[in-house]
Amino acid sequence: VEEPLPVLTTEELIVYRRKKLQEKKVHIAALASAVLADPENNIKKLKELRSMLMEQDPNVAVIVRKLVMISLMEIFKDITPSYKIRPLTEIEKNMKVRKETQKLREFEEGLVSQYKFYLENLEQCVKDWKQRKLKKSNVISLKAYKGLAEVAVKCLSELLVSLPHFNFHNNIIVLIVPLMNDASKQISEMCCDAVKNLFKQDKLGVASVGVVKVISGLVKSRNYDVRPEVLMTLLHLRIKDVEVKKDAEDIAPKKRFMSYKEKRKNLSRMQRKWKKAEEKLERELLEVEASESTEKKLKLHTEILNVVFLTYFRILKKAQKSPLLPAVLEGLAKFAHLINLEFFDDLLVVLHSLLMSEVLTYRESLHCILSAFHILSGQGDVLNIDPLKFYTHIYKTLFKLHAGATNEDVAIVLQCLDVMLTKRRKQVSQQRALAFIKRLSTLALHVLPNSSIGILATNRTLMHNFPKTDLLLDNESQGSGLYLPELEEPEYCNAQNTALWELHILRRHYHPVVQKFAAHLVAGSPSEGSGALGPELSRRSPSELFEAYSMKEMTFNPQIASVTPRKKGGILRTESFLNEDLRELFHTELRKAAVQGTLDFAKHLNASVS
């Protein structure tokens, strides 16, 4: 007859659980330390550690399984070699090898086997949570499965980024990419961040190819019903023409050759002759290796771009009202200079039709314009196309910018103006430049200080690139016609017949940097003298200035000196904080108040006497 189990109180249960958990932690730590200390001899202890993923004690099962998952992940990251282990052929297995080689083979075979089983355990954990399926043993509740699945996804994400060269990496990609579109926001963000980090660190593009192909297949299989964050990860791909040469040089090993003096000092005549031939051969080998890596990189980048553009063009053609459209337009803006010249005409037509359809939000329309001008600024220079419709659209929608705290769209507007007016200044007429300078000056009155600084910096650049626009600073110049600010066509609004009166208002702006820029523009944007800007302002681009003086963190830049006002004669001495005009107004109002107070007192006195 079995003896009945002792009934424990709540306190005793907590103490028992804490003691049991501590024992398990010590056991996990001992096994992990043994494997890390000597991986080749203790590789079998990975199996014992992995068996703890099936912990059956309901009191500690969840925590123990989570700890084992994390421990195994860190062990594999540490002991995994920097190469892919291939299976041995039958001939290689039957060959006689040295004892050290045989030992290494056994270690590699055991490592791959345990790594494979570990990944299968993680996959099964995620599947059990997705299917809401309880095991027969019923050790873990359904609620606990979500926590286990989150830890499993975290481990898979870490291995995706840390071991892109090792075995089963494609299997991890196939697991992670669908989870980027998971209903759980935490798991989706975890997987998206892992893919972004993989793209950022992948110089050659070997790992990125597989991820991009799986993402493209996922978007197509779900009929374009995926989270926009899935496509936003493609913006972190390292595909730039300028990086090809740089990374090829990084990959090529640096070899130091002996100088002529060193050869004369250390080598005989015959040795110098052999050394010269050897160095020549080594130089040739280095050049071949560098060219091979460059060719491989270009080939992989071409393949990645083909898949990315195929996904983008499918969405533009079949799902124009999809929430994925902003991500597509942003991606086209980034990679537009790499698009094949044959697609330019059709792509510009599609982008213009999207603008005219009025289904886009303001931010989406800005990305659409930015994409069009990126296309025309790269290989599109050879095309004789005047994108007048895009100029007109951004000109008439400039006043739709949000003037409040959510002014991130200004950053995109500044990029658009740089590509449209500065980089294409040879194709821009003077009338168009005058119209944009005038409208931007009016816009600077309505927005936050950092936006005003970025806009005024853009005007400064435009005045340098178009010297004849200084007529806007002369209020005595005569022109033909009347300025029409409500006209939507920048070419025909007669901007040459107006003046930049807005700058005089901005000179009295509460932000000191806005004051400096306004005074600088009024003086004619000089590069020297009292009206010139300091290097901290003149050498920065408009976008950099916009970010530098941002008020996202609710801080004022430059900082305001904290001065405590002192009392003098019962009136606060606030004059020192006011400029001359406000000070004069302040004193006038004080005098009026004093006179009015005297009259009121006299009336009250007369009433009392009567």
Side-chain angles (χ1 to χ4, degrees):
V1 179
E2 293 183 2
E3 293 184 5
L5 293 171
V7 180
L8 301 176
T9 63
T10 306
E11 291 82 0
E12 289 173 340
L13 279 171
I14 293 172
V15 172
Y16 169 76
R17 180 179 179 276
R18 193 175 296 163
K19 182 182 176 183
K20 189 78 174 174
L21 189 59
Q22 186 62 28
E23 290 175 0
K24 293 289 184 183
K25 285 182 180 179
V26 171
H27 187 49
I28 292 169
L31 290 172
S33 301
V35 175
L36 291 173
D38 190 2
E40 292 188 3
N41 293 324
N42 295 324
I43 192 69
K44 291 182 180 178
K45 291 192 176 181
L46 279 177
K47 185 176 180 181
E48 185 181 348
L49 187 58
R50 194 174 52 78
S51 66
M52 295 179 73
L53 286 171
M54 299 295 128
E55 177 64 42
Q56 296 300 314
D57 189 342
N59 292 318
V60 294
V62 177
I63 296 180
V64 169
R65 292 187 186 189
K66 288 180 180 180
L67 290 172
V68 173
M69 284 181 193
I70 299 291
S71 302
L72 282 169
M73 175 197 72
E74 294 295 340
I75 290 171
F76 282 121
K77 282 169 64 177
D78 195 63
I79 68 172
T80 300
S82 58
Y83 54 86
K84 189 174 182 178
I85 299 173
R86 64 174 181 82
L88 298 173
T89 61
E90 289 297 327
I91 299 172
E92 288 174 334
K93 287 179 181 179
N94 297 327
M95 284 175 62
K96 289 184 178 181
V97 292
R98 289 186 301 173
K99 190 176 180 181
E100 293 81 4
T101 308
Q102 185 62 32
K103 190 176 180 182
L104 179 62
R105 284 182 176 180
E106 289 174 0
F107 165 72
E108 290 179 344
E109 188 177 349
L111 178 65
V112 171
S113 174
Q114 293 302 321
Y115 187 59
K116 178 185 175 184
F117 289 135
Y118 172 62
L119 292 178
E120 287 175 352
N121 289 333
L122 295 179
E123 181 184 6
Q124 190 60 45
C125 185
V126 176
K127 281 184 177 178
D128 290 343
W129 169 66
K130 297 290 284 183
Q131 296 170 0
R132 306 291 191 273
K133 185 174 71 176
L134 272 174
K135 299 284 184 181
K136 291 181 181 178
S137 59
N138 201 19
V139 174
I140 297 176
S141 64
L142 274 174
K143 289 182 179 179
Y145 265 116
K146 185 181 180 183
L148 281 173
E150 286 175 357
V151 176
V153 171
K154 183 175 178 59
C155 293
L156 288 167
S157 302
E158 285 283 334
L159 294 172
L160 178 78
V161 179
S162 303
L163 304 176
H165 58 278
F166 198 56
N167 301 48
F168 310 114
H169 191 255
N170 287 336
N171 301 69
I172 299 175
I173 291 172
V174 172
L175 285 173
I176 287 290
V177 170
L179 292 173
M180 292 167 68
N181 192 44
D182 195 78
S184 170
K185 188 177 180 181
Q186 187 176 355
I187 287 180
S188 174
E189 286 179 356
M190 210 184 298
C191 296
C192 288
D193 290 341
V195 172
K196 288 176 189 175
N197 293 331
L198 180 67
F199 286 156
K200 287 176 185 177
Q201 73 179 26
D202 189 18
K203 291 183 178 181
L204 280 176
V206 178
S208 302
V209 172
V211 179
V212 169
K213 285 181 178 178
V214 178
I215 288 176
S216 178
L218 175 72
V219 173
K220 186 180 178 183
S221 63
R222 297 286 176 88
N223 198 22
Y224 314 106
D225 184 20
V226 297
R227 285 171 173 261
E229 290 82 4
V230 176
L231 279 188
M232 293 297 280
T233 56
L234 298 176
L235 298 175
H236 295 83
L237 284 165
R238 292 188 61 175
I239 304 178
K240 293 180 182 177
D241 291 337
V242 292
E243 286 185 350
V244 175
K245 186 177 179 181
K246 178 185 171 184
D247 290 341
E249 289 173 359
D250 291 341
I251 293 162
K254 299 289 186 291
K255 180 71 177 177
R256 182 182 175 274
F257 297 104
M258 292 176 70
S259 65
Y260 180 72
K261 288 183 179 180
E262 289 174 341
K263 290 177 185 176
R264 288 292 299 266
K265 185 178 179 180
N266 301 322
L267 303 176
S268 65
R269 186 177 178 183
M270 185 59 69
Q271 286 175 330
R272 288 201 299 271
K273 188 176 180 181
W274 281 104
K275 192 70 177 175
K276 185 178 179 181
E278 183 184 342
E279 288 180 355
K280 184 181 178 183
L281 181 61
E282 285 181 356
R283 283 195 182 93
E284 290 176 355
L285 287 172
L286 288 177
E287 289 175 5
V288 169
E289 287 176 10
S291 62
E292 283 180 356
S293 61
T294 306
E295 289 173 8
K296 183 180 179 182
K297 180 173 181 175
L298 284 172
K299 186 176 179 182
L300 287 169
H301 282 191
T302 305
E303 188 176 354
I304 292 170
L305 271 181
N306 286 340
V307 178
V308 170
F309 284 140
L310 179 64
T311 308
Y312 285 167
F313 293 159
R314 276 177 183 163
I315 295 169
L316 281 176
K317 185 178 179 182
K318 298 181 180 179
Q320 290 189 355
K321 294 183 180 180
S322 167
L324 299 177
L325 195 60
V328 171
L329 294 172
E330 202 167 338
L332 284 174
K334 181 171 182 180
F335 302 118
H337 62 287
L338 301 169
I339 299 176
N340 196 329
L341 200 63
E342 298 172 0
F343 302 115
F344 280 11
D345 284 335
D346 295 336
L347 195 53
L348 286 173
V349 169
V350 171
L351 292 175
H352 183 255
S353 65
L354 279 172
L355 273 181
M356 295 298 107
S357 63
E358 296 184 354
V359 297
L360 303 179
T361 63
Y362 186 64
R363 192 182 184 88
E364 290 170 6
S365 66
L366 289 176
H367 279 304
C368 196
I369 294 168
L370 191 59
S371 304
F373 280 96
H374 272 302
I375 290 170
L376 294 172
S377 63
Q379 303 175 58
D381 282 339
V382 298
L383 299 174
N384 189 17
I385 297 175
D386 182 19
L388 179 62
K389 296 173 182 177
F390 294 102
Y391 281 103
T392 303
H393 189 275
I394 196 168
Y395 179 79
K396 73 180 182 182
T397 57
L398 272 176
F399 289 143
K400 291 184 180 179
L401 268 174
H402 200 297
T406 55
N407 62 345
E408 288 130 2
D409 292 344
V410 177
I412 310 171
V413 169
L414 294 176
Q415 291 179 40
C416 289
L417 294 171
D418 180 53
V419 179
M420 296 166 66
L421 301 172
T422 307
K423 293 181 178 176
R424 290 177 58 88
R425 54 184 174 272
K426 292 183 180 178
Q427 288 93 353
V428 177
S429 65
Q430 186 179 339
Q431 293 295 329
R432 195 178 296 177
L434 288 167
F436 271 97
I437 290 172
K438 176 61 180 175
R439 180 147 291 196
L440 288 172
S441 299
T442 309
L443 180 65
L445 295 171
H446 305 282
V447 290
L448 289 177
N450 61 327
S451 304
S452 296
I453 294 167
I455 289 168
L456 291 176
T458 302
N459 273 356
R460 176 178 180 268
T461 307
L462 292 176
M463 286 182 169
H464 285 169
N465 290 328
F466 300 93
K468 293 183 179 180
T469 55
D470 62 352
L471 61 89
L472 292 174
L473 302 173
D474 185 7
N475 58 358
E476 295 181 358
S477 62
Q478 294 181 355
S480 57
L482 184 68
Y483 173 56
L484 304 171
E486 72 281 357
L487 199 66
E488 295 180 351
E489 296 289 341
E491 298 282 351
Y492 307 110
C493 66
N494 297 325
Q496 74 277 5
N497 299 320
T498 184
L500 298 180
W501 52 265
E502 298 89 352
L503 296 178
H504 290 280
I505 299 175
L506 291 170
R507 285 174 69 184
R508 300 181 180 184
H509 198 278
Y510 65 88
H511 199 286
V513 180
V514 177
Q515 292 178 15
K516 285 182 184 178
F517 263 102
H520 173 70
L521 291 175
V522 167
S525 306
S527 56
E528 295 177 350
S530 59
L533 291 175
E536 72 279 358
L537 297 176
S538 60
R539 292 180 182 177
R540 288 186 180 182
S541 67
S543 298
E544 290 172 348
L545 289 167
F546 171 75
E547 292 296 332
Y549 293 97
S550 175
M551 300 176 71
K552 286 181 183 177
E553 299 177 0
M554 299 300 291
T555 55
F556 194 82
N557 185 11
Q559 292 184 353
I560 303 171
S562 57
V563 182
T564 307
R566 292 178 297 174
K567 285 190 175 182
K568 184 179 180 181
I571 300 174
L572 285 174
R573 291 190 62 194
T574 55
E575 306 132 41
S576 56
F577 309 112
L578 305 173
N579 58 28
E580 293 179 4
D581 297 331
L582 288 178
R583 194 181 302 163
E584 187 178 346
L585 181 63
F586 177 70
H587 285 300
T588 305
E589 292 298 326
L590 273 179
R591 285 194 292 271
K592 285 182 181 178
V595 172
Q596 188 64 39
T598 306
L599 292 173
D600 291 342
F601 179 72
K603 287 179 183 178
H604 177 69
L605 190 61
N606 289 331
S608 300
V609 171
S610 61

